[in-house]
Amino acid sequence: MPNLPNVVLWSIPAFVLLTVLEVVSYRFHPDEEEQGYTVKDTATSLTMGLGSLAFDAAWKIPIVAIYSGLYELTPLRVPVLWWTVPLILLAQDFFYYWSHRGHHVIRILWACHVVHHSSKHYNLSTALRQPWTSATTWVFYVPMILAGVHPAALAFCSSANLVYQFWIHTERIDRLPRPLEFVLNTPSHHRVHHASQGGYLDRNFGGILILFDRMFGSFTPETTKPVYGLTKNLSTHNPLLVATHEYAAIARDVAAATSWRDRVRHLTNGPGWQPGPTDRPEGTAA
């Protein structure tokens, strides 16, 4: 088994220090056009982050079991060497792109990911607002396991990807030099991803690289100031409701559906889908 560190746990002190520094920067260099911090919103983000550590530890048990079983079944092996780790990270970032995109366009997956978008603020604490039901992501990385990537190597690269994305959750950094903006996911690109208005919705899914968005047609540059949050924002800071509100909404829609076809589509279609007049069974009132 590769002896690789848990980079998320090692990075927690840096997360705390950088968040404190950003809070202080708003105190001494306020900007009326930036959202900054509020106590309730920040407390919710921190609570969601701490809760995700506990829930992720529980979700890892069945996921590791599945990955380990698949790894034993495949005859392929990718060695963990100084030159293979960057390639594994590149592959992980590719599958992260599709996982992230899937979690925006399939409602039952969005129910997990919506937690991360539920803040109307955009700061380093928002990066810590993580879901408690992240067991929906593992299936996207099965091809890597079947290709011979050790589960521990995948976990290391996934953690590195998550740590990278921490610093891009800020309004304090405008734009980087153009070559970096072309290749990397940056604060500017990720602000677009967290925006809730029009042409910014469901754009810029990249983790470390923005190249996959450019390749697959989901890239949009930041041109106007983003409005953060959801198209229908939450009126609560209760962590339990933040973690589960979309699952509850899905349950209500499924219960109210008039056909099994619509019940399935409430799970598999996009988050905003509702049956229209042409979807109603014959004899159903409009």
Side-chain angles (χ1 to χ4, degrees):
M1 179 180 296
N3 185 20
L4 297 168
N6 186 326
V7 292
V8 172
L9 289 179
W10 280 100
S11 300
I12 288 175
F15 292 166
V16 174
L17 176 61
L18 291 173
T19 301
V20 170
L21 289 176
E22 188 178 51
V23 171
V24 172
S25 78
Y26 278 109
R27 172 66 177 83
F28 290 99
H29 297 283
D31 188 327
E32 292 182 357
E33 294 187 355
E34 296 180 356
Q35 293 288 332
Y37 285 77
T38 63
V39 173
K40 287 185 177 180
D41 180 81
T42 302
T44 301
S45 294
L46 295 178
T47 302
M48 298 308 299
L50 291 172
S52 73
L53 292 176
F55 281 99
D56 282 352
W59 289 120
K60 282 179 182 177
I61 297 172
I63 293 171
V64 168
I66 294 171
Y67 279 170
S68 298
L70 293 174
Y71 183 76
E72 291 301 321
L73 288 175
T74 180
L76 303 175
R77 290 292 182 268
V78 177
V80 179
L81 304 170
W82 67 268
W83 61 272
T84 61
V85 171
L87 297 177
I88 296 171
L89 182 59
L90 178 62
Q92 190 277 333
D93 200 45
F94 172 79
F95 287 108
Y96 172 86
Y97 168 85
W98 289 108
S99 171
H100 195 180
R101 189 166 180 169
H103 277 72
H104 273 256
V105 300
I106 300 172
R107 191 181 180 193
I108 191 62
L109 302 184
W110 172 246
C112 162
H113 186 61
V114 66
V115 170
H116 185 59
H117 287 263
S118 61
S119 173
K120 292 185 285 186
H121 297 261
Y122 191 77
N123 52 55
L124 292 178
S125 76
T126 308
L128 305 177
R129 186 177 286 227
Q130 295 295 321
W132 294 355
T133 56
S134 55
T136 57
T137 62
W138 67 271
V139 68
F140 289 89
Y141 301 101
V142 166
M144 292 184 66
I145 300 297
L146 295 178
V149 175
H150 195 282
L154 174 59
F156 171 79
C157 290
S158 297
S159 297
N161 199 320
L162 185 64
V163 168
Y164 174 88
Q165 292 183 59
F166 174 78
W167 74 278
I168 62 178
H169 289 81
T170 184
E171 294 186 283
R172 304 263 80 180
I173 298 173
D174 186 12
R175 282 177 172 82
L176 303 182
R178 288 183 65 182
L180 296 179
E181 291 284 340
F182 186 82
V183 174
L184 297 175
N185 193 11
T186 65
S188 177
H189 298 329
H190 207 57
R191 285 193 290 267
V192 169
H193 179 71
H194 272 259
S196 61
Q197 73 258 48
Y200 282 175
L201 282 176
D202 297 336
R203 312 299 290 173
N204 299 1
F205 299 108
I208 296 174
L209 301 176
I210 203 66
L211 292 176
F212 298 123
D213 286 284
R214 297 184 186 277
M215 290 171 60
F216 298 112
S218 55
F219 174 72
T220 294
E222 183 182 31
T223 54
T224 59
K225 180 174 174 55
V227 177
Y228 304 111
L230 305 173
T231 54
K232 295 180 180 179
N233 283 304
L234 300 178
S235 59
T236 180
H237 290 94
N238 184 318
L240 184 59
L241 296 179
V242 171
T244 62
H245 73 276
E246 184 64 13
Y247 291 106
I250 291 174
R252 289 193 295 270
D253 285 341
V254 168
T258 56
S259 71
W260 280 106
R261 183 167 179 249
D262 282 351
R263 292 185 183 100
V264 171
R265 290 196 289 180
H266 276 303
L267 299 175
T268 60
N269 282 16
W273 181 84
Q274 289 293 330
T278 59
D279 296 306
R280 298 179 183 277
E282 293 185 8
T284 301

